[in-house]
Amino acid sequence: MKKVLAVCGATATGKTALSVAVAERLGGEIISADALLVYRGLNIGTAKPSKEERRGIPHYMIDVAEPTENFSVSDYERLALPILEDIFARGKVPVLCGGTGFYMNALLYRSSFGTTPADPAVRRKYERIAEEKGRNYLHGLLCACDKESAEKLHENDVKRVIRALEIFDLTGRKKSEQCDGDAPRYEFRAFAFDYPREALYGRINARVDGMIAEGLVEEVKGLLVEGVPENAQCMQGIGYKEVVECLKNKDNVSNMSDIIKKNTRNYAKRQITFFKRMQNLTWLPPENFELAVEKVCKIYDGE
């Protein structure tokens, strides 16, 4: 039986530590589901797990793209799905770990787009729009005609955004109104730490302070010197875009830190909202880490 274990939730809630501990107990291997960990050279601002933190557990989908590249949900699915199947084939437990819900769902579900036939001309129209005006603009078109679908699709998932627009163009009906829901690929159980809001904000603030102390500004400077454009996709990540603006405007680090903290808190709220809709999700009290690990293992094993 193919059964996946997913560790998800907001940033700064201890997902890495939990996934490693569970993988050690269950004989698992970890697939990252984080939109910034795919990039080489983005280490401090992504809280990329160190060799010591990984504790010998294989980790996948980390450092698989250059920082100058665009990387979509479809790219993630294309690379990560064969890895997941290989973990199954070797009798190991796939542990998905991350806070990018769109990436996680790309592996957990098969996306269905109904029976509306494809129209190459319509697709080419929207592909040109994406190339000329950008992915954000394309996503805005979908939001205008089908807000429900737009909320489920990340702007980087151009292929699925175009398909949803294509369905609306050809049928006059929203994709979200059609009976074409996502079907699970595998049985899975998901887990997330449920921190009280103020405690979570405290952890976020401490993490940002730590990143700056570790050299986040110097990391961004190095990326820019290496030729990574300031408008590169990876530089739009929280922590990176604020440092770029700070460097451009010669702002002080204290103001930059406050902005990063605020933006991270807002992102954490969106993550919590997203994962609250997730099937088979168990919220874990964070007070006792060992008890949480024990509970995850028991639930996954069906005890």
Side-chain angles (χ1 to χ4, degrees):
M1 178 185 65
K2 294 182 176 181
K3 187 176 180 182
V4 177
L5 194 159
V7 177
C8 58
T11 186
T13 52
K15 295 185 293 293
T16 295
L18 179 61
S19 65
V20 168
V22 168
E24 287 179 322
R25 288 276 299 271
L26 297 175
E29 297 184 1
I30 296 170
I31 301 176
S32 169
D34 186 291
L36 288 182
L37 287 185
V38 300
Y39 292 107
R40 300 182 185 95
L42 277 70
N43 302 319
I44 297 172
T46 62
K48 190 171 289 179
S50 65
K51 182 179 178 181
E52 291 73 26
E53 289 172 318
R54 300 183 200 188
R55 286 162 58 172
I57 301 296
H59 282 63
Y60 304 97
M61 295 308 296
I62 295 176
D63 294 337
V64 296
E66 296 299 331
T68 51
E69 293 181 52
N70 286 331
F71 196 88
S72 70
V73 179
S74 298
D75 293 325
Y76 177 82
E77 181 181 354
R78 174 176 54 82
L79 293 178
L81 192 56
I83 294 170
L84 191 151
E85 289 288 354
D86 179 65
I87 293 172
F88 276 132
R90 290 183 285 107
K92 300 289 187 177
V93 174
V95 180
L96 300 186
C97 175
T100 305
F102 296 108
Y103 279 20
M104 194 164 281
N105 281 357
L107 297 189
L108 295 177
Y109 298 95
R110 288 187 183 88
S111 289
S112 168
F113 291 99
T115 57
T116 304
D119 187 316
V122 173
R123 289 192 178 183
R124 282 195 296 271
K125 176 183 76 171
Y126 286 117
E127 286 168 356
R128 284 195 297 271
I129 289 173
E131 290 170 4
E132 295 170 4
K133 298 188 176 182
R135 299 176 177 193
N136 183 262
Y137 181 86
L138 183 76
H139 192 265
L141 294 179
L142 180 60
C143 190
C145 67
D146 185 356
K147 185 177 180 181
E148 294 81 4
S149 291
E151 288 176 347
K152 294 180 180 179
L153 296 173
H154 194 278
E155 66 180 53
N156 291 336
D157 198 358
V158 174
K159 178 180 176 182
R160 290 184 173 89
V161 171
I162 288 177
R163 176 56 176 158
L165 285 165
E166 179 185 40
I167 289 173
F168 187 79
D169 272 19
L170 296 175
T171 69
R173 294 175 57 214
K174 301 176 183 178
K175 172 191 169 296
S176 57
E177 294 175 345
Q178 301 184 23
C179 297
D180 61 341
D182 294 338
R185 293 182 195 271
Y186 315 101
E187 183 179 350
F188 70 89
R189 292 304 305 252
F191 303 89
F193 278 124
D194 187 17
Y195 276 94
R197 189 62 56 92
E198 290 307 313
L200 174 59
Y201 288 173
R203 290 175 65 89
I204 288 171
N205 293 342
R207 171 174 279 191
V208 173
D209 288 338
M211 287 176 173
I212 293 172
E214 289 172 26
L216 176 60
V217 174
E218 288 70 26
E219 178 172 274
V220 174
K221 286 180 179 177
L223 291 166
L224 295 172
V225 168
E226 290 171 8
V228 179
E230 65 180 50
N231 64 347
Q233 182 178 313
C234 72
M235 289 297 208
Q236 308 314 304
I238 296 173
Y240 291 90
K241 61 183 178 183
E242 293 86 357
V243 173
V244 169
E245 287 301 311
C246 176
L247 295 173
K248 285 170 60 178
N249 301 323
K250 298 181 180 179
D251 198 0
N252 65 64
V253 173
S254 177
N255 286 343
M256 179 198 73
S257 172
D258 290 341
I259 295 170
I260 295 174
K261 289 173 182 176
K262 177 177 180 294
N263 290 343
T264 305
R265 291 194 298 268
N266 290 337
Y267 176 54
K269 290 182 202 173
R270 296 195 299 273
Q271 287 176 300
I272 292 168
T273 299
F274 184 98
F275 287 115
K276 277 184 176 178
R277 299 193 298 263
M278 193 168 195
Q279 297 175 344
N280 306 326
L281 175 63
T282 299
W283 291 96
L284 303 167
E287 293 80 12
N288 190 314
F289 183 79
E290 291 304 322
L291 281 180
V293 172
E294 187 75 24
K295 184 173 183 178
V296 170
C297 293
K298 285 184 176 180
I299 292 175
Y300 177 81
D301 284 335
E303 296 181 22

